[in-house]
Amino acid sequence: MKFRIRNYSVSSITGLMAVIVFTVFTFTSLVLYPTPYNPLYAWLSNLGNIYLNPSGSIFFNLGCFYREL
């Protein structure tokens, strides 16, 4: 069984790409978070806060921006 991209709609491909990009950028931001991150005690949006995550916030915010396009 061959995988043919022509069998899928543009919205399906773009939706899958949005999930992949958001996940990659979120994990990149998580790696750059300066303190140990625990989702039980911190909000996910803390990864995009420029004061709490100065070096990784740009990645989280770009991932959210791409998802909204």
Side-chain angles (χ1 to χ4, degrees):
M1 183 173 180
K2 284 183 160 180
F3 174 75
R4 294 186 183 192
I5 200 159
R6 287 182 274 164
N7 294 340
Y8 297 97
S9 66
V10 173
S11 60
S12 297
I13 295 169
T14 331
L16 182 62
M17 286 300 297
V19 170
I20 292 170
V21 167
F22 179 70
T23 304
V24 167
F25 277 69
T26 300
F27 280 113
T28 303
S29 177
L30 183 63
V31 167
L32 295 173
Y33 199 73
T35 59
Y37 180 79
N38 187 349
L40 297 175
Y41 300 110
W43 299 98
L44 183 63
S45 61
N46 285 355
L47 295 175
N49 189 328
I50 61 171
Y51 301 112
L52 297 176
N53 191 9
S55 59
S57 64
I58 187 69
F59 294 105
F60 183 79
N61 292 330
L62 283 174
C64 289
F65 177 74
Y66 179 80
R67 189 185 66 176
E68 295 295 323
L69 289 179

